[in-house]
Amino acid sequence: MNDLIARKGLTPRFWERKSLHQMSTAEWEALCDGCGKCCLNKLEDEDSGAVALTRIACRLLDDGTCRCAHYENRHQFVPDCIVLKPDNLDTHAYWMPTTCAYRLLWQGAPLPDWHPLITGTAQSVHDAGVSVQGWTLSEFDVPEEEWEEHIIEEPVDVSRIR
């Protein structure tokens, strides 16, 4: 699989030596493991604040690559798509996938062994079974009132979905 995120030429293990605020744009983008889970629609309980992931994907998610089909201009299509930055992790980390590198580093945890920055290959996230590759449903195909029927457990156990 071709890595759609530029990871070549970065300082080895930069995430262990730099804070999230110190990272360059290229380093920040390279933290994305390509799982696609951040593009799943979420349901938040108004009383408890608990967030549940659904297998209902944003209209722009490419289910095969687990990437946004229009990343650079996604706000033209999805105006409320979040631009994650070190300065807003404190208000967004709670809804991010438990395996997300941004969330893990913000919490002071290490990257998982399957992360592409460690393995050197973008395919490792899919081989580890933690991506949404091949099992999402389009938000256009499932009415919002039925999203609760598609809640998934986090971390995702792909074998239970397929």
Side-chain angles (χ1 to χ4, degrees):
M1 172 181 223
N2 188 20
D3 195 349
L4 301 175
I5 294 176
R7 299 185 212 275
K8 302 286 186 220
L10 299 175
T11 303
R13 303 188 80 85
F14 65 86
W15 62 92
E16 295 175 338
R17 295 192 263 294
K18 291 184 175 185
S19 73
L20 294 169
H21 286 330
Q22 293 171 323
M23 291 182 189
S24 69
T25 301
E27 290 167 334
W28 178 262
E29 292 291 322
L31 289 177
C32 177
D33 60 31
C35 72
K37 289 186 278 185
C38 61
C39 298
L40 297 176
N41 283 292
K42 296 136 194 88
L43 298 174
E44 184 171 358
D45 184 290
E46 291 179 20
D47 297 325
S48 70
V51 176
L53 291 179
T54 71
R55 67 185 287 197
I56 312 301
C58 168
R59 68 195 74 170
L60 298 180
L61 181 70
D62 179 323
D63 183 78
T65 63
C66 296
R67 301 285 185 216
C68 180
H70 296 284
Y71 184 71
E72 294 303 321
N73 59 354
R74 66 193 183 277
H75 292 105
Q76 292 175 13
F77 302 98
V78 184
D80 58 347
C81 183
I82 302 296
V83 176
L84 197 60
K85 302 181 238 180
D87 292 336
N88 66 11
L89 272 170
D90 60 338
T91 57
H92 295 301
Y94 79 97
W95 60 260
M96 297 171 69
T98 58
T99 57
C100 177
Y102 300 104
R103 179 178 180 165
L104 290 170
L105 293 177
W106 180 72
Q107 294 172 327
L111 294 183
D113 292 342
W114 48 259
H115 194 285
L117 284 170
I118 293 174
T119 65
T121 175
Q123 184 62 36
S124 60
V125 68
H126 309 299
D127 292 345
V130 294
S131 79
V132 301
Q133 189 176 52
W135 58 260
T136 64
L137 301 171
S138 170
E139 65 186 1
F140 290 132
D141 295 336
V142 182
E144 195 168 340
E145 60 270 11
E146 294 178 16
W147 287 6
E148 276 190 52
E149 298 170 26
H150 298 281
I151 290 175
I152 58 175
E153 297 294 319
E154 186 44 10
V156 175
D157 179 357
V158 175
S159 66
R160 292 179 47 204
I161 296 172
R162 290 194 172 137

